[in-house]
Amino acid sequence: MSLFKVFGVSGSAIAAQNVRLNVIASNLANADSIAGPDGKAYKARQVVFQTQLADFNDQASAGVRVAGVNESEAEGRKIYDPKNPLADESGNITMPNVNVIDEMVNMIEASRAYQNNIEVMNTTKSLLAKTIAMGS
């Protein structure tokens, strides 16, 4: 693999992790929301990554891309609050199914992956600069 391709691979990973961090931020921001814009409880979202191939005939990896963002189907926790206008007939409110601890772990993992790819790009840049210096 050419050293120049490393920038494309790492760049795609940085872009994918950026999307992941934005989804995590949205999950955390809505962790205590009683209702979203549609009047229903917020559902946690997770990013799905997919390998991006260099071209049709080449099976070498050329990076990663976001294949989609899936909504969790897990049930939200129920809180008894019969005075709330959003309560159901039994007096319960359905809260979002966001697990704050899991989201914080995901955020740390995504942040580290982002930082690692920045480091890969910086190392590649340094190697290219040393190679150019050797040739002159």
Side-chain angles (χ1 to χ4, degrees):
M1 176 192 303
S2 164
L3 280 178
F4 292 110
K5 289 184 180 180
V6 173
F7 290 110
V9 173
S10 289
S12 70
I14 288 169
Q17 293 301 333
N18 189 40
V19 171
R20 183 177 176 198
L21 285 166
N22 285 331
V23 169
I24 292 167
S26 179
N27 287 344
L28 288 171
N30 289 292
D32 289 325
S33 305
I34 294 176
D38 59 355
K40 297 179 183 175
Y42 178 83
K43 299 262 186 185
R45 293 171 174 82
Q46 298 295 323
V47 177
V48 178
F49 297 127
Q50 184 177 30
T51 302
Q52 186 175 345
L53 300 178
D55 62 44
F56 185 72
N57 295 324
D58 187 6
Q59 295 300 310
S61 174
V64 64
R65 70 179 188 88
V66 174
V69 179
N70 293 340
E71 221 175 57
S72 172
E73 293 301 321
E75 266 308 301
R77 67 185 191 281
K78 304 274 187 191
I79 295 178
Y80 183 72
D81 186 5
K83 294 181 182 180
N84 192 305
L86 297 174
D88 60 14
E89 59 277 351
S90 54
N92 291 319
I93 301 169
T94 302
M95 296 299 287
N97 60 357
V98 176
N99 183 329
V100 176
I101 295 169
D102 287 346
E103 294 301 325
M104 294 300 290
V105 170
N106 283 336
M107 183 174 61
I108 292 167
E109 184 180 293
S111 177
R112 291 216 173 123
Y114 189 96
Q115 291 169 349
N116 287 340
N117 280 290
I118 295 290
E119 189 62 33
V120 166
M121 292 176 92
N122 286 334
T123 301
T124 303
K125 183 179 89 171
S126 175
L127 288 172
L128 286 170
K130 288 179 182 177
T131 303
I132 290 171
M134 286 176 32
S136 49

